[in-house]
């Protein structure tokens, strides 16, 4: 599966930590969009779709959540609970974000502007598309 965890270099000093994210350095694509989700209710999953073209990098900058990535053959669940770890989600990978802690802020970088037609929201359709 073309997804991977990326370990960001933590900088900073006695005042605290700092992480810098730059396109094509530690973010493996052009950054066109940044969004974040927070305040997700306990037991409520998010995502549950794939994208035709969009690649994403997900970072839990506060709290924790799980992200299950599925290429139609294998599903792998990652726990995101460190602000220095990013999870790359390629296009045509089904993603489900779940088990959010109350304080979770999930920051997402994407290489496309928002376009609803890029979403595949039906799992059976996803399996057809990747055949
Ligand atoms: C993902 C997870 C982590 C926009 O207007 N612009 C945007 O860039 C996004 C992402 C969403 N929206 C609108 C579309 C919906 O009316 O915000 C509303 C909620 O979006 P959605 O139902 O897609 O939210 P999630 O949390 O299920 O999924 C989002 C991303 O869509 C998805 O790619 O990985 O966050």
């Amino acid at each position: 599966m073309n997804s991977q965890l990326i370990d960001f270099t933590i900088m900073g000093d006695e005042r605290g930590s700092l992480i810098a994210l730059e396109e094509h350095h530690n973010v493996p694509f052009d950054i066109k969009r940044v969004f974040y989700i927070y305040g997700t209710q306990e037991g409520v999953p998010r995502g549950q779709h794939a994208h035709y073209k969009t690649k994403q990098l997900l970072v839990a900058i506060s709290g924790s959540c799980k992200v299950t990535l599925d290429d139609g053959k294998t599903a792998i669940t990652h726990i995101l609970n460190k602000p220095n770890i990013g999870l790359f989600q390629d296009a045509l990978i089904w993603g489900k974000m779940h088990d959010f802690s109350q304080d979770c802020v999930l920051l997402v970088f994407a290489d496309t502007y928002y376009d609803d037609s890029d979403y595949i929201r039906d799992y059976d359709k996803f399996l057809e598309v990747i055949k």
Side-chain angles (χ1 to χ4, degrees):
M1 185 187 303
N2 196 4
S3 64
Q4 56 176 327
L5 290 167
I6 300 173
D7 202 340
F8 305 129
T9 301
I10 303 174
M11 296 172 288
D13 49 34
E14 66 284 350
R15 296 169 297 169
S17 304
L18 184 153
I19 291 171
L21 301 180
E22 298 182 344
E23 61 182 6
H24 296 294
H25 288 171
N26 45 11
V27 178
F29 47 70
D30 291 334
I31 300 169
K32 288 268 175 39
R33 180 163 51 105
V34 180
F35 60 94
Y36 41 98
I37 59 179
Y38 61 97
T40 298
Q41 308 277 317
E42 199 183 330
V44 178
R46 307 200 60 152
Q48 305 192 93
H49 52 244
H51 298 271
Y52 286 102
K53 291 185 184 158
T54 302
K55 300 179 178 101
Q56 299 192 145
L57 181 75
L58 304 105
V59 189
I61 55 168
S62 170
S64 65
C65 68
K66 294 179 183 167
V67 180
T68 300
L69 298 181
D70 178 350
D71 65 1
K73 295 192 182 85
T74 311
I76 300 174
T77 298
H78 301 270
I79 300 174
L80 296 184
N81 57 7
K82 293 180 185 148
N84 64 310
I85 297 292
L87 176 63
F88 175 68
Q89 178 185 358
D90 208 347
L92 295 176
I93 297 288
W94 188 266
K96 176 181 172 184
M97 297 77 198
H98 51 108
D99 292 296
F100 287 83
S101 64
Q102 276 190 341
D103 59 346
C104 184
V105 179
L106 183 63
L107 181 66
V108 184
F109 297 85
D111 72 338
T112 59
Y113 297 114
Y114 181 72
D115 177 3
D116 192 59
S117 69
D118 187 51
Y119 282 69
I120 309 169
R121 298 187 188 278
D122 180 84
Y123 190 74
D124 289 334
K125 183 170 181 193
F126 165 67
L127 293 179
E128 278 297 312
V129 170
I130 59 171
K131 255 187 198 169

